[in-house]
């Protein structure tokens, strides 16, 4: 079981943003910006391009709804999207509020947020959904 499957199962806590029968969204614990969210399929697949066409399309539509809510909650130029998957072998889309290209650099220092701040970020996105 991947760490993300354990999060989805509720075995490991997270700051949940959204969920449906196939997908789950929660805050990245090492955010590049306030609102940095991960969208994952409940199906345990490592490489995103191993998902079926239908699942990949549905994941992107789910991510779109979350991205629209992130942009409402955390006004930005655009919400950027990235797929790396170098650390956690469970497919996921990063959604990151950005003001410029530099905001998408994963080598940037990560924000250190207190639990109450994470809670407030997740709540703001949920309210905007
Ligand atoms: P990637 O696999 O896309 O290279 O990076 C994995 C991402 O997942 C990282 O941005 C990392 O901060 C995040 N991450 C790893 N473990 C956890 C975790 O246990 N909880 C949360 N919320 N995020 C995690």
């Amino acid at each position: 079981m991947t760490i993300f499957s354990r999060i989805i199962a509720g075995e490991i806590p997270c700051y949940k943003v959204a969920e449906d029968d196939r997908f789950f969204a929660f805050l990245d614990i090492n955010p590049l910006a306030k609102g940095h969210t991960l969208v994952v399929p409940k199906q345990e697949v490592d490489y995103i391009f191993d998902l079926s066409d239908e699942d990949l399309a549905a994941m992107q539509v789910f991510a779109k709804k979350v991205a629209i809510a992130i942009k409402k909650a955390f006004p930005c130029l655009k919400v950027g999207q990235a797929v790396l998957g170098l650390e956690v072998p469970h497919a996921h889309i990063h959604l990151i509020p950005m003001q410029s290209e530099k905001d998408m650099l994963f080598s940037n220092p990560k924000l250190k947020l207190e639990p109450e701040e994470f809670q407030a970020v997740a709540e703001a996105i949920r309210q905007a959904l």
Side-chain angles (χ1 to χ4, degrees):
M1 209 174 182
T2 67
I3 192 158
F4 287 173
S5 289
R6 296 183 65 201
I7 287 173
I8 292 163
E11 288 174 20
I12 295 176
C14 75
Y15 300 97
K16 182 171 146 183
V17 167
E19 178 177 15
D20 71 6
D21 55 331
R22 285 196 282 173
F23 305 103
F24 195 92
F26 58 102
L27 299 183
D28 193 303
I29 207 68
N30 300 303
L32 281 166
K34 274 193 171 186
H36 182 167
T37 298
L38 302 175
V39 170
V40 306
K42 292 185 175 177
Q43 180 192 354
E44 226 179 54
V45 171
D46 175 0
Y47 187 42
I48 195 166
F49 297 125
D50 284 334
L51 286 168
S52 70
D53 291 356
E54 204 277 325
D55 285 338
L56 182 61
M59 183 173 172
Q60 188 64 78
V61 171
F62 182 88
K64 175 182 174 181
K65 290 181 192 142
V66 176
I68 289 169
I70 292 171
K71 193 165 184 296
K72 272 192 209 151
F74 295 94
C76 52
L77 195 59
K78 290 186 175 177
V79 171
Q81 170 169 302
V83 175
L84 287 80
L86 296 174
E87 184 188 322
V88 178
H90 187 142
H92 51 281
I93 294 173
H94 292 259
L95 296 174
I96 302 164
M98 62 177 179
Q99 301 294 350
S100 77
E101 182 186 320
K102 290 197 300 292
D103 296 334
M104 294 300 288
L105 290 176
F106 279 77
S107 51
N108 283 344
K110 309 300 186 296
L111 297 184
K112 294 273 178 253
L113 301 181
E114 297 299 326
E116 311 78 61
E117 293 177 290
F118 274 114
Q119 290 286 10
V121 170
E123 178 62 21
I125 300 169
R126 287 197 300 267
Q127 290 291 330
L129 274 166

